[in-house]
Amino acid sequence: MGSAVAQCPHGITSHSTGNLGQKKLGYSSRCSKFPCQLDFARFGLLHQGSSAASSSDHSTEFGRRINAVPDMDDMFWDKVPTPLLDMVENPIHLKNLSVQELKELASEIRSELSCIMSEKPNSLKASLAVVELTIAIHHVFHAPVDKILWDVGEQVRQTYAHKILTGRRALMRMMRQKNGLSSFTSRFESEYDSFGTGHGCNSVSAGLGMAIARDIKGKRDRVVTVISNATTLAGQVYEAMSNAGYLDSNMIVILNDSRRSLHPKIEQEPKTSITALSSTLIKIQSSKSFRKFREAAKGITKRIGRGMHELAAKFDEYARGMIGPQGSTLFEELGLYYIGPVDGHNLEDLICVLQQVSSLDSMGPVLIHVITEDNHQDAECNEKIEADNPQEGMITISYDDSVSSSVQTRTYSDCLVDSLLMEAEKHKDIVLVHAGMEMEPSFQVLQETFADRFFDVGMAEQHAVTFSAGLSRGGLRPFCIIPSTFLQRAYDQVVHDVDRQKIPVRFVITSAGLVGNSGPVYCGAFDVTFMSCLPNMIVMAPSDEDELVDMVATAAQIDDRPVCFRYPRGAIVRTDHFMHPGIPLEIGKGRVLVEGKEVALLGYGAMVQNCLKAQALLSRLGIEVTVADARFCKPLDTELLTLLCENHKFLITVEEGSIGGFASHVAQFIALNGHLDGTVKWRPIVLPDSYIENGLPEEQLARAGLSGHHIAATVLRLLGRVREALLLMC
């Protein structure tokens, strides 16, 4: 890799690989504030000895992958010229750019993002909305010394501009691919990512922890956290803000308000306007002299006593509440000094406010309310997007990035919606509660059809579970729809507010198992394990769309205990599927799909299909195996297990879940009942005890050892036919 050499005060000379050659760019006289000569690594990701994250095995491996990246000119052959962006190899190169140059850089980043995203079924909105904010943050603060934490927004891709500016531009086209970039910030990916994100609302808590650690160690670095509207719907952020106000440690919280309101029902609220007066007022609010005057006034009123301090505080809050939008005083009550609203696309105002706030010491936590627009794009970017998608003017977004948006496939969620619609016609007391960061398009049909019986609570999964319990105690039949990975956040509520009280809440666990290019953040690996250990919970999983429909009908009938069922992300098994009315299943009963000899494959959930694939492969080799569908993890079908153990030499359980799940319950039963004392040998196939990174679904299944070929190879090895097992995997 080449290096970039900055020579002040004449500008930065970039020595980079490929045809970029040496280019010079002049800067303002402020360049004299920086050292005369600075050497920077080509991508600025893994400076040796600079951080704990850079010394980890993960970072080392990621660094190797970056070193193998093709020439940037080869990767961006069809993009529009970006001369300024070509010179920015890490955030230090932003320090001496003028405001006008920063504006040009913002335009180039938008062009770059539209070029990159035109090849991917991802939304540009979140990434385009924060381009100026990202530039301003890196222009003012000194990452990675200063800690910058990005929370998850309504859409998870608001960090794309941050990744481009921190040395990962050449890998942006490998976003969410095998050995590529994560769509979130990751400590294992770059030292500029101070903390990993995924589920949202954790950045304020983590940032406060870093701020307190800084104070204890006597350091002076700044901590900046960026949150969004979606973050403000979750409880943890308010817990963290309240604690930050109490501890009064210096930190900066930036609220990226893309909805132009602090209220979720934006269609009922007036848009927050940015005027010349408000722009002037926020500069006064953030100024050092005003803040010092305010602190001095606090001290004087405290010394006067007789309630003067409380009266002055109320007057101050009232006056500042008149300036800010509705809801702004909430942050003051939590102990954060509110500044805003600030135009998130006005670089002059952003830089001014951030510089003022960054220069303040011992002033406590500050919240800067930044207004951004999702559709803020320059004309060139609009033309590019419209050329890529003339009908929509925006790139098509798919909830499942592993499935092409142009392919109209029927998904498990589609079947769930149809079955819930049918059951809701039978049972007028069925209500639906949805929680999570994004709502699948399929569920919007439910929301439109049953507007008075559908409750979307956003990223408030804990509330969703207890809210569902309250609905049940009120005489309704709630179906609580939560993706597997988000249900983890509400586990305490599942235990104490539902299972311990035997309240019949019906948990619909979506995106179970591996989720392709969404990687480990959205991977639903643990729900079988943590749900099946609860004493009163019924735990089941359908092997195909027919069983999914039946399990919806089964859950609707259960009214004496909680029940859950999971289904995977993606397309259903059969494309010519005809929707049938659901038939309630007998609780705790599985079924045998294929009769065979010697070896029995007992699949749970979607892995039954891979067991059938393995059975077809083995049948060609003259090996007939039994394939059974467990259906239930709890209660287990003990009669089916006994039958399989007594009539086969080998029992193999297959599940798309972590250690401690379905296989653990099978092992408990067959061990206690002496089946392992006889001739049967048991082998579990589960997800590996590690996080599986981005990749296509089939790639992830292969890495996990859960494909039909892997299952068939396991059978061959057990039968002593090792050579054939190796050939099968070739």
Side-chain angles (χ1 to χ4, degrees):
M1 290 296 176
S3 62
V5 180
Q7 295 180 333
C8 298
H10 304 292
I12 293 179
T13 302
S14 175
H15 302 278
S16 57
T17 61
N19 300 322
L20 292 175
Q22 295 185 5
K23 301 179 182 179
K24 275 195 175 183
L25 187 66
Y27 301 110
S28 65
S29 59
R30 288 177 296 165
C31 188
S32 59
K33 295 180 182 179
F34 294 91
C36 291
Q37 183 167 339
L38 299 172
D39 287 19
F40 308 109
R42 172 78 175 115
F43 283 100
L45 287 170
L46 302 169
H47 304 301
Q48 294 181 357
S50 60
S51 69
S54 64
S55 62
S56 69
D57 295 338
H58 293 276
S59 294
T60 303
E61 176 59 28
F62 193 82
R64 294 193 191 103
R65 295 204 298 267
I66 289 180
N67 291 334
V69 171
D71 193 304
M72 188 178 292
D73 291 333
D74 297 332
M75 297 192 69
F76 298 97
W77 65 91
D78 57 348
K79 69 180 181 64
V80 297
T82 53
L84 269 170
L85 183 57
D86 292 342
M87 308 308 300
V88 177
E89 298 178 341
N90 55 52
I92 196 69
H93 294 146
L94 299 178
K95 298 299 180 184
N96 305 296
L97 292 178
S98 66
V99 173
Q100 183 58 40
E101 288 169 333
L102 291 176
K103 290 179 180 179
E104 294 174 9
L105 178 63
S107 179
E108 292 182 10
I109 291 177
R110 282 199 168 84
S111 176
E112 182 85 1
L113 285 171
S114 64
C115 178
I116 295 170
M117 295 304 126
S118 65
E119 301 180 1
K120 290 180 172 292
N122 291 335
S123 172
L124 282 172
K125 289 185 178 181
S127 54
L128 291 174
V130 295
V131 169
E132 285 86 1
L133 176 59
T134 306
I135 291 173
I137 289 173
H138 281 297
H139 177 76
V140 173
F141 298 98
H142 302 276
V145 177
D146 291 337
K147 305 300 186 294
I148 301 172
L149 293 80
W150 293 85
D151 217 315
V152 174
E154 293 88 355
Q155 301 182 40
V156 300
R157 304 173 184 95
Q158 67 175 352
T159 59
Y160 285 6
H162 164 75
K163 288 176 181 285
I164 287 176
L165 292 175
T166 52
R168 286 165 279 185
R169 180 187 178 193
L171 284 175
M172 289 299 291
R173 296 200 184 203
M174 297 175 64
M175 184 78 68
R176 300 168 71 115
Q177 296 180 18
K178 184 178 180 180
N179 296 330
L181 293 178
S182 168
S183 57
F184 308 97
T185 55
S186 171
R187 292 175 50 248
F188 306 124
E189 192 175 287
S190 171
E191 65 177 345
Y192 291 100
D193 295 350
S194 300
F195 199 80
T197 57
H199 286 182
C201 76
N202 64 350
S203 64
V204 180
S205 298
L208 178 60
M210 293 179 183
I212 295 300
R214 171 204 61 202
D215 297 342
I216 292 175
K217 291 187 175 183
K219 297 182 178 180
R220 295 179 59 83
D221 52 282
R222 277 78 58 91
V223 177
V224 182
T225 71
V226 184
I227 63 176
S228 70
N229 302 97
T231 304
T232 60
L233 298 178
Q236 183 181 352
V237 69
Y238 297 106
E239 297 174 14
M241 287 183 181
S242 178
N243 193 217
Y246 173 76
L247 295 175
D248 203 34
S249 182
N250 287 349
M251 68 179 296
I252 301 167
V253 180
I254 299 175
L255 171 58
N256 170 30
D257 186 359
S258 60
R259 294 186 180 184
R260 305 187 68 83
S261 171
L262 293 177
H263 300 274
K265 294 186 177 180
I266 57 174
E267 70 278 3
Q268 300 176 6
E269 296 293 334
K271 290 185 177 181
T272 303
S273 60
I274 305 293
T275 64
L277 176 60
S278 63
S279 178
T280 302
L281 289 174
I282 59 104
K283 291 176 182 178
I284 295 174
Q285 281 181 296
S286 60
S287 67
K288 191 172 184 178
S289 56
F290 179 80
R291 291 290 303 277
K292 285 190 173 181
F293 171 77
R294 187 170 180 265
E295 292 299 317
K298 283 183 180 180
I300 293 173
T301 56
K302 284 182 180 179
R303 283 193 290 270
I304 293 175
R306 292 177 295 180
M308 182 60 70
H309 176 68
E310 289 76 9
L311 180 63
K314 289 180 180 179
F315 177 79
D316 175 69
E317 181 179 328
Y318 176 78
R320 286 160 43 72
M322 293 289 290
I323 299 172
Q326 295 183 27
S328 59
T329 55
L330 167 65
F331 304 109
E332 293 279 349
E333 292 288 346
L334 292 171
L336 280 73
Y337 181 79
Y338 175 88
I339 298 174
V342 185
D343 185 351
H345 303 291
N346 187 320
L347 274 166
E348 291 97 333
D349 285 358
L350 284 171
I351 291 172
C352 176
V353 170
L354 292 176
Q355 285 179 336
Q356 293 280 11
V357 172
S358 67
S359 66
L360 301 177
D361 293 322
S362 303
M363 294 294 185
V366 175
L367 184 132
I368 304 174
H369 183 191
V370 175
I371 304 294
T372 60
E373 296 182 22
D374 284 345
N375 60 352
H376 184 85
Q377 304 161 7
D378 56 20
E380 184 179 358
C381 185
N382 273 324
E383 292 174 3
K384 171 66 177 173
I385 295 172
E386 290 174 1
D388 292 329
N389 196 339
Q391 293 181 345
E392 299 292 336
M394 179 57 66
I395 295 170
T396 303
I397 183 171
S398 170
Y399 184 80
D400 183 2
D401 291 336
S402 64
V403 180
S404 174
S405 59
S406 61
V407 179
Q408 299 297 323
T409 56
R410 186 168 171 80
T411 66
Y412 277 95
S413 290
D414 294 328
C415 291
L416 173 74
V417 169
D418 290 342
S419 60
L420 283 173
L421 289 173
M422 288 190 294
E423 291 300 323
E425 290 297 328
K426 299 178 189 176
H427 306 281
K428 300 301 181 182
D429 55 354
I430 284 180
V431 290
L432 307 166
V433 179
H434 178 272
M437 196 152 49
E438 292 179 289
M439 185 188 297
E440 295 186 51
S442 303
F443 297 141
Q444 294 175 3
V445 177
L446 286 173
Q447 191 175 32
E448 295 169 0
T449 307
F450 298 105
D452 58 336
R453 289 195 271 168
F454 188 98
F455 305 93
D456 181 25
V457 302
M459 288 171 50
E461 295 87 1
Q462 294 169 308
H463 164 65
V465 172
T466 306
F467 176 53
S468 298
L471 291 170
S472 180
R473 291 294 301 129
L476 299 176
R477 298 177 189 238
F479 279 79
C480 187
I481 307 171
I482 304 182
S484 174
T485 187
F486 292 104
L487 184 59
Q488 297 162 189
R489 297 164 58 126
Y491 189 58
D492 181 69
Q493 284 70 29
V494 173
V495 175
H496 292 288
D497 296 341
V498 177
D499 190 76
R500 190 173 61 84
Q501 302 183 54
K502 295 188 70 173
I503 296 177
V505 173
R506 299 144 190 90
F507 293 100
V508 182
I509 305 174
T510 70
S511 297
L514 300 171
V515 288
N517 290 337
S518 293
V521 174
Y522 287 153
C523 178
F526 311 114
D527 60 272
V528 179
T529 299
F530 66 68
M531 294 298 274
S532 62
C533 68
L534 300 178
N536 298 315
M537 187 71 66
I538 295 174
V539 183
M540 52 187 178
S543 62
D544 57 25
E545 58 273 21
D546 289 328
E547 283 193 341
L548 174 61
V549 174
D550 292 339
M551 288 184 181
V552 171
T554 304
Q557 296 280 12
I558 297 172
D559 60 1
D560 61 342
R561 71 189 76 177
V563 58
C564 70
F565 58 91
R566 67 182 335 230
Y567 66 83
R569 179 185 293 188
I572 58 177
V573 176
R574 292 184 294 278
T575 57
D576 57 345
H577 181 260
F578 175 75
M579 195 72 182
H580 72 279
I583 302 173
L585 302 173
E586 183 180 353
I587 303 299
K589 288 297 178 183
R591 58 174 178 164
V592 175
L593 301 176
V594 179
E595 292 277 4
K597 302 176 182 178
E598 289 194 273
V599 180
L601 300 176
L602 179 59
Y604 182 68
M607 286 299 99
V608 172
Q609 300 303 321
N610 284 12
C611 290
L612 290 172
K613 292 177 182 178
Q615 183 269 335
L617 290 170
L618 293 168
S619 181
R620 298 173 193 170
L621 299 175
I623 302 173
E624 300 299 330
V625 299
T626 296
V627 177
D629 176 9
R631 283 181 171 168
F632 291 86
C633 176
K634 188 173 187 178
L636 279 173
D637 188 342
T638 55
E639 292 182 6
L640 175 61
L641 274 174
T642 300
L643 182 68
L644 295 176
C645 290
E646 291 178 350
N647 294 285
H648 300 83
K649 293 182 179 179
F650 302 99
L651 172 64
I652 301 174
T653 56
V654 186
E655 63 180 304
E656 195 176 3
S658 66
I659 297 170
F662 173 69
S664 177
H665 287 262
V666 171
Q668 180 83 357
F669 171 76
I670 62 178
L672 291 178
N673 287 272
H675 295 297
L676 291 178
D677 301 338
T679 58
V680 68
K681 297 181 180 179
W682 167 69
R683 297 290 186 273
I685 300 180
V686 301
L687 287 176
D689 193 23
S690 61
Y691 295 101
I692 297 180
E693 297 298 327
N694 298 331
L696 297 175
E698 56 270 21
E699 292 174 339
Q700 288 190 320
L701 284 172
R703 289 162 66 184
L706 285 170
S707 67
H709 282 73
H710 284 86
I711 298 170
T714 301
V715 173
L716 289 170
R717 285 196 298 269
L718 288 175
L719 295 175
R721 300 166 67 165
V722 178
R723 185 174 181 275
E724 290 174 284
L726 293 174
L727 290 174
L728 189 63
M729 296 307 301
C730 291

Coordinates of all heavy atoms in Angstrom, one line a residue, residues 425-473:
E425 N -60.4 -13.5 11.3 CA -61.8 -13.6 10.9 C -62.6 -14.5 11.8 O -63.8 -14.3 12.1 CB -61.9 -14.0 9.4 CG -61.4 -13.0 8.4 CD -62.3 -11.7 8.5 OE1 -63.5 -11.8 8.8 OE2 -61.7 -10.6 8.2
K426 N -61.9 -15.6 12.2 CA -62.6 -16.6 13.1 C -62.6 -16.0 14.6 O -63.6 -16.2 15.3 CB -61.8 -17.9 13.2 CG -61.7 -18.6 11.8 CD -60.8 -19.9 12.0 CE -60.5 -20.5 10.7 NZ -59.6 -21.7 10.8
H427 N -61.5 -15.4 15.0 CA -61.4 -14.9 16.4 C -61.3 -13.4 16.4 O -60.3 -12.9 16.1 CB -60.2 -15.5 17.1 CG -60.1 -17.0 17.0 ND1 -60.9 -17.8 17.8 CD2 -59.4 -17.9 16.2 CE1 -60.6 -19.1 17.6 NE2 -59.7 -19.2 16.6
K428 N -62.4 -12.8 16.7 CA -62.4 -11.3 16.6 C -61.6 -10.7 17.7 O -61.4 -9.4 17.7 CB -63.9 -10.8 16.8 CG -64.8 -11.3 15.7 CD -64.3 -10.9 14.3 CE -65.2 -11.4 13.2 NZ -64.7 -11.1 11.8
D429 N -61.1 -11.5 18.7 CA -60.3 -10.9 19.8 C -58.8 -11.0 19.5 O -58.0 -10.8 20.4 CB -60.7 -11.6 21.1 CG -60.5 -13.1 21.1 OD1 -60.3 -13.6 19.9 OD2 -60.7 -13.7 22.1
I430 N -58.4 -11.4 18.3 CA -57.0 -11.5 18.0 C -56.5 -10.1 17.7 O -57.1 -9.3 17.0 CB -56.7 -12.4 16.7 CG1 -56.9 -13.9 17.1 CG2 -55.4 -12.1 16.1 CD1 -56.6 -14.8 15.9
V431 N -55.3 -9.7 18.4 CA -54.7 -8.5 18.2 C -53.2 -8.8 17.8 O -52.7 -9.8 18.2 CB -54.7 -7.5 19.4 CG1 -56.1 -7.0 19.6 CG2 -54.2 -8.3 20.6
L432 N -52.6 -7.9 17.1 CA -51.2 -8.1 16.6 C -50.3 -7.0 17.2 O -50.6 -5.8 17.0 CB -51.2 -8.1 15.1 CG -52.2 -9.1 14.5 CD1 -52.3 -8.8 13.0 CD2 -51.7 -10.5 14.7
V433 N -49.2 -7.4 17.7 CA -48.2 -6.4 18.2 C -46.9 -6.7 17.5 O -46.4 -7.8 17.5 CB -48.0 -6.6 19.8 CG1 -46.9 -5.6 20.3 CG2 -49.3 -6.4 20.5
H434 N -46.3 -5.6 16.9 CA -45.1 -5.8 16.1 C -44.0 -4.9 16.8 O -44.2 -3.8 17.1 CB -45.3 -5.3 14.7 CG -44.0 -5.4 13.8 ND1 -43.1 -4.4 13.7 CD2 -43.5 -6.4 13.1 CE1 -42.1 -4.7 13.0 NE2 -42.3 -6.0 12.6
A435 N -42.8 -5.5 16.9 CA -41.7 -4.8 17.4 C -40.4 -5.1 16.6 O -40.3 -6.2 16.0 CB -41.4 -5.2 18.9
G436 N -39.5 -4.2 16.6 CA -38.3 -4.4 15.8 C -37.9 -3.1 15.1 O -38.6 -2.1 15.2
M437 N -36.8 -3.1 14.4 CA -36.3 -1.9 13.8 C -37.0 -1.6 12.5 O -37.3 -0.4 12.2 CB -34.8 -2.0 13.6 CG -34.1 -0.7 13.3 SD -32.4 -0.7 13.8 CE -31.8 -2.2 13.1
E438 N -37.2 -2.6 11.6 CA -37.9 -2.4 10.4 C -39.1 -3.3 10.3 O -39.0 -4.4 10.7 CB -36.9 -2.6 9.2 CG -35.8 -1.6 9.1 CD -34.9 -2.0 7.9 OE1 -34.1 -2.9 8.1 OE2 -34.9 -1.3 6.9
M439 N -40.1 -2.9 9.6 CA -41.3 -3.7 9.4 C -41.2 -4.3 8.0 O -41.0 -3.6 7.0 CB -42.6 -2.9 9.6 CG -43.8 -3.8 9.5 SD -45.4 -2.9 9.5 CE -45.3 -2.1 11.1
E440 N -41.3 -5.6 7.9 CA -41.4 -6.3 6.6 C -42.6 -5.8 5.8 O -43.7 -5.5 6.4 CB -41.4 -7.8 6.7 CG -40.2 -8.4 7.4 CD -40.3 -9.9 7.4 OE1 -40.5 -10.5 6.3 OE2 -40.1 -10.5 8.5
P441 N -42.4 -5.6 4.5 CA -43.6 -5.2 3.7 C -44.8 -6.0 3.9 O -45.9 -5.5 3.8 CB -43.0 -5.3 2.2 CG -41.5 -5.2 2.4 CD -41.2 -5.8 3.7
S442 N -44.7 -7.3 4.1 CA -45.8 -8.2 4.3 C -46.7 -7.7 5.4 O -47.9 -7.8 5.3 CB -45.4 -9.6 4.5 OG -44.5 -10.1 3.5
F443 N -46.1 -7.3 6.5 CA -46.9 -6.9 7.7 C -47.7 -5.6 7.5 O -48.6 -5.3 8.2 CB -46.0 -6.8 8.9 CG -45.3 -8.1 9.3 CD1 -44.0 -8.1 9.7 CD2 -46.0 -9.3 9.2 CE1 -43.4 -9.3 10.0 CE2 -45.4 -10.5 9.5 CZ -44.1 -10.5 9.9
Q444 N -47.3 -4.8 6.5 CA -48.1 -3.6 6.2 C -49.5 -3.9 5.8 O -50.4 -3.1 6.0 CB -47.4 -2.8 5.1 CG -46.0 -2.3 5.6 CD -45.2 -1.6 4.5 OE1 -45.7 -1.4 3.4 NE2 -44.0 -1.1 4.8
V445 N -49.7 -5.1 5.2 CA -51.1 -5.6 4.8 C -51.9 -5.7 6.1 O -53.1 -5.3 6.2 CB -51.0 -6.9 4.0 CG1 -52.4 -7.4 3.7 CG2 -50.2 -6.7 2.7
L446 N -51.3 -6.4 7.1 CA -52.0 -6.5 8.4 C -52.3 -5.2 9.0 O -53.4 -4.9 9.5 CB -51.1 -7.3 9.4 CG -51.0 -8.8 9.1 CD1 -50.0 -9.5 10.1 CD2 -52.4 -9.5 9.2
Q447 N -51.3 -4.3 8.9 CA -51.5 -3.0 9.5 C -52.7 -2.2 8.9 O -53.4 -1.5 9.5 CB -50.2 -2.2 9.4 CG -50.2 -0.9 10.2 CD -48.8 -0.2 10.2 OE1 -48.1 -0.3 9.2 NE2 -48.5 0.4 11.3
E448 N -52.8 -2.3 7.5 CA -53.8 -1.7 6.8 C -55.2 -2.3 7.0 O -56.2 -1.6 7.1 CB -53.5 -1.6 5.3 CG -52.2 -0.8 5.0 CD -51.7 -1.0 3.6 OE1 -52.4 -1.8 2.9 OE2 -50.7 -0.4 3.2
T449 N -55.2 -3.7 7.1 CA -56.5 -4.4 7.2 C -57.0 -4.3 8.6 O -58.3 -4.1 8.8 CB -56.3 -5.9 6.8 OG1 -55.6 -6.0 5.5 CG2 -57.6 -6.6 6.8
F450 N -56.2 -4.4 9.6 CA -56.6 -4.4 11.0 C -56.0 -3.2 11.7 O -55.2 -3.3 12.6 CB -56.3 -5.7 11.7 CG -57.0 -6.9 11.1 CD1 -56.3 -7.8 10.4 CD2 -58.3 -7.1 11.3 CE1 -56.9 -8.9 9.9 CE2 -58.9 -8.2 10.8 CZ -58.2 -9.1 10.1
A451 N -56.3 -2.0 11.2 CA -55.7 -0.8 11.8 C -55.9 -0.6 13.3 O -55.1 -0.1 14.0 CB -56.2 0.5 11.0
D452 N -57.1 -1.0 13.7 CA -57.5 -0.9 15.1 C -57.0 -2.1 16.0 O -57.1 -2.1 17.2 CB -59.0 -0.7 15.3 CG -59.7 -1.9 14.7 OD1 -59.2 -2.6 13.8 OD2 -60.9 -2.1 15.1
R453 N -56.4 -3.1 15.3 CA -55.9 -4.3 16.1 C -54.5 -4.5 15.8 O -54.0 -5.6 16.2 CB -56.8 -5.5 15.7 CG -58.2 -5.5 16.2 CD -58.8 -6.9 16.1 NE -59.5 -7.1 14.9 CZ -59.9 -8.3 14.5 NH1 -59.7 -9.4 15.2 NH2 -60.5 -8.4 13.3
F454 N -53.8 -3.6 15.2 CA -52.4 -3.8 14.9 C -51.6 -2.7 15.6 O -51.9 -1.5 15.4 CB -52.1 -3.7 13.4 CG -50.7 -4.1 13.0 CD1 -50.4 -5.4 12.5 CD2 -49.7 -3.1 13.0 CE1 -49.1 -5.7 12.2 CE2 -48.4 -3.5 12.6 CZ -48.1 -4.7 12.2
F455 N -50.6 -3.0 16.4 CA -49.8 -2.1 17.2 C -48.3 -2.2 16.9 O -47.7 -3.3 17.2 CB -50.1 -2.3 18.7 CG -51.5 -2.2 19.1 CD1 -52.3 -3.4 19.1 CD2 -52.2 -1.0 19.3 CE1 -53.6 -3.4 19.5 CE2 -53.5 -1.0 19.7 CZ -54.2 -2.2 19.8
D456 N -47.8 -1.2 16.2 CA -46.3 -1.3 15.9 C -45.6 -0.4 16.9 O -45.8 0.9 16.9 CB -46.1 -0.8 14.5 CG -44.6 -0.8 14.1 OD1 -43.8 -1.6 14.7 OD2 -44.2 0.0 13.2
V457 N -44.8 -0.9 17.8 CA -44.2 -0.2 18.8 C -42.7 0.1 18.5 O -42.0 0.7 19.4 CB -44.3 -0.9 20.2 CG1 -45.7 -1.2 20.6 CG2 -43.5 -2.3 20.1
G458 N -42.2 -0.2 17.3 CA -40.9 0.1 16.9 C -39.8 -0.7 17.8 O -40.0 -1.8 18.1
M459 N -38.7 0.0 18.1 CA -37.6 -0.6 18.8 C -37.8 -0.7 20.3 O -36.9 -0.5 21.0 CB -36.3 0.1 18.5 CG -35.8 -0.1 17.1 SD -34.4 1.0 16.7 CE -33.3 0.8 18.0
A460 N -39.0 -1.0 20.7 CA -39.4 -1.1 22.1 C -39.8 -2.5 22.4 O -41.0 -2.8 22.8 CB -40.4 -0.1 22.5
E461 N -38.9 -3.5 22.2 CA -39.3 -4.9 22.3 C -39.7 -5.3 23.7 O -40.6 -6.1 23.9 CB -38.1 -5.8 21.8 CG -37.8 -5.6 20.4 CD -36.8 -4.5 20.1 OE1 -36.4 -3.8 21.0 OE2 -36.4 -4.3 18.9
Q462 N -39.0 -4.7 24.7 CA -39.4 -5.0 26.1 C -40.9 -4.6 26.3 O -41.6 -5.3 26.9 CB -38.5 -4.2 27.0 CG -37.0 -4.8 26.9 CD -36.1 -3.8 27.7 OE1 -36.0 -2.6 27.5 NE2 -35.3 -4.4 28.6
H463 N -41.2 -3.4 25.9 CA -42.6 -2.9 26.1 C -43.5 -3.8 25.3 O -44.6 -4.1 25.8 CB -42.7 -1.4 25.6 CG -44.1 -1.0 25.3 ND1 -45.0 -0.8 26.3 CD2 -44.7 -0.6 24.2 CE1 -46.1 -0.4 25.8 NE2 -46.0 -0.3 24.5
A464 N -43.1 -4.2 24.1 CA -44.0 -5.0 23.3 C -44.4 -6.3 24.0 O -45.6 -6.7 23.9 CB -43.3 -5.4 21.9
V465 N -43.5 -6.9 24.7 CA -43.8 -8.2 25.4 C -44.8 -8.0 26.6 O -45.8 -8.6 26.7 CB -42.5 -8.9 25.9 CG1 -42.8 -10.1 26.8 CG2 -41.7 -9.3 24.7
T466 N -44.5 -7.0 27.4 CA -45.3 -6.7 28.5 C -46.7 -6.1 28.1 O -47.7 -6.4 28.7 CB -44.6 -5.8 29.5 OG1 -43.3 -6.3 29.9 CG2 -45.5 -5.6 30.8
F467 N -46.7 -5.3 27.1 CA -47.9 -4.8 26.5 C -48.8 -6.0 26.0 O -50.0 -6.0 26.2 CB -47.5 -3.9 25.3 CG -48.7 -3.3 24.6 CD1 -49.8 -2.7 25.2 CD2 -48.8 -3.4 23.2 CE1 -50.9 -2.2 24.5 CE2 -49.8 -2.9 22.5 CZ -50.9 -2.3 23.1
S468 N -48.2 -6.9 25.4 CA -48.9 -8.1 24.9 C -49.5 -8.9 26.1 O -50.6 -9.4 26.0 CB -48.0 -9.0 24.1 OG -47.5 -8.4 22.9
A469 N -48.7 -9.0 27.2 CA -49.2 -9.7 28.4 C -50.4 -8.9 28.9 O -51.4 -9.5 29.4 CB -48.1 -9.7 29.4
G470 N -50.4 -7.6 28.9 CA -51.5 -6.8 29.4 C -52.7 -7.0 28.5 O -53.9 -7.1 29.0
L471 N -52.5 -7.1 27.2 CA -53.6 -7.3 26.2 C -54.3 -8.7 26.5 O -55.5 -8.8 26.5 CB -53.1 -7.3 24.8 CG -52.7 -5.9 24.2 CD1 -52.0 -6.1 22.9 CD2 -53.9 -5.0 24.1
S472 N -53.4 -9.7 26.8 CA -54.0 -11.0 27.1 C -54.8 -11.0 28.4 O -55.8 -11.6 28.5 CB -52.8 -12.0 27.2 OG -53.3 -13.3 27.5
R473 N -54.3 -10.3 29.4 CA -55.0 -10.3 30.7 C -56.3 -9.5 30.5 O -57.2 -9.6 31.3 CB -54.1 -9.6 31.8 CG -52.9 -10.4 32.2 CD -53.3 -11.7 32.9 NE -54.1 -11.4 34.1 CZ -55.3 -12.0 34.4 NH1 -55.8 -12.9 33.5 NH2 -55.9 -11.7 35.5

